[in-house]
Amino acid sequence: MKKDSGKKDLGKEDLRKNNSEKEDSGKEDSRKNEATCEDRENNVRDKTLYGNVFHRNVCWQRSYQKPEGEELIMALYGSLRNGLYNSRRFDLQNRSEFLGTTKVDGYALYSLGPYPGIYPLENSCVLAEVRRFSGKQQLEIAKSIDYMELFGGYHREYVDLEIGEQKFRGFIYVYDEKPESERIEHGDWARYLNEKELQERELQEKELQER
């Protein structure tokens, strides 16, 4: 009877030891995961320019900061331009104020397929439509656009904008990394799309004539 009791006690002791080891292992894995995320955030934070530039964080959903202010001014150069896909989707004609079109110096325009990206480059410029968002409903649209852009691999850069004699301070969305794709020399996305559509139509007509 004593031997059986000893075996039972030994089994219980082994079980407690195994459970304790598993618990310690689980805590260690949790600490490692937290440290990894923290290290990533610290690495990105070290490379981040605060003030004029907002860069996307690795754990960016947690660190996302909405643009604040009674009004927001954006320089839009791609699918958010009048008549293009995202402009229609957000109904920008009715949910923002069009201030005019301007050239933003210091950026080059690149094709990323169905949409473009810009990246800093001296002696280059991009054509952009400037829109003002004010009031609760318009600001909600602006914040939805902002979330979409930062999620898509862009960040905000604040720029000085001139339309005639008027001057504005707003932001433009810059691609996080320099694109390795086609650079659009004239910097006008809408013109690029029209030229591309014309080329495709001419190619189709040529193929039909050759058949």
Side-chain angles (χ1 to χ4, degrees), residues 40-55:
R40 287 175 179 172
E41 289 181 346
N42 289 336
N43 288 337
V44 174
R45 191 177 296 114
D46 291 341
K47 298 176 182 178
T48 299
L49 293 175
Y50 290 96
N52 291 336
V53 181
F54 178 92
H55 283 277

Side-chain angles (χ1 to χ4, degrees), residues 128-167:
E129 294 177 0
V130 183
R131 288 190 174 273
R132 177 192 281 127
F133 299 82
S134 59
K136 184 178 179 180
Q137 291 184 342
Q138 290 189 5
L139 287 173
E140 286 303 315
I141 292 295
K143 290 172 183 177
S144 295
I145 292 172
D146 189 70
Y147 192 87
M148 175 189 74
E149 296 289 359
L150 270 63
F151 179 82
Y154 298 78
H155 61 268
R156 308 183 207 119
E157 290 195 9
Y158 287 83
V159 290
D160 293 318
L161 305 165
E162 292 188 13
I163 302 174
E165 297 181 355
Q166 293 182 303
K167 294 183 180 181

Side-chain angles (χ1 to χ4, degrees), residues 74 97-102 128-131 162-163 166 168:
M74 296 183 183
E97 179 186 357
F98 176 68
L99 300 178
T101 303
T102 188
E129 294 177 0
V130 183
R131 288 190 174 273
E162 292 188 13
I163 302 174
Q166 293 182 303
F168 305 93

Side-chain angles (χ1 to χ4, degrees), residues 166-201:
Q166 293 182 303
K167 294 183 180 181
F168 305 93
R169 181 71 171 171
F171 55 81
I172 196 167
Y173 292 103
V174 181
Y175 206 56
D176 286 344
E177 299 177 357
K178 184 177 180 180
E180 297 180 356
S181 53
E182 176 188 4
R183 179 186 164 196
I184 303 169
E185 297 288 341
H186 53 66
D188 184 342
W189 180 245
R191 174 182 164 185
Y192 170 80
L193 291 180
N194 290 333
E195 291 174 348
K196 187 176 180 180
E197 183 180 356
L198 180 60
Q199 289 175 357
E200 290 176 352
R201 195 182 311 126

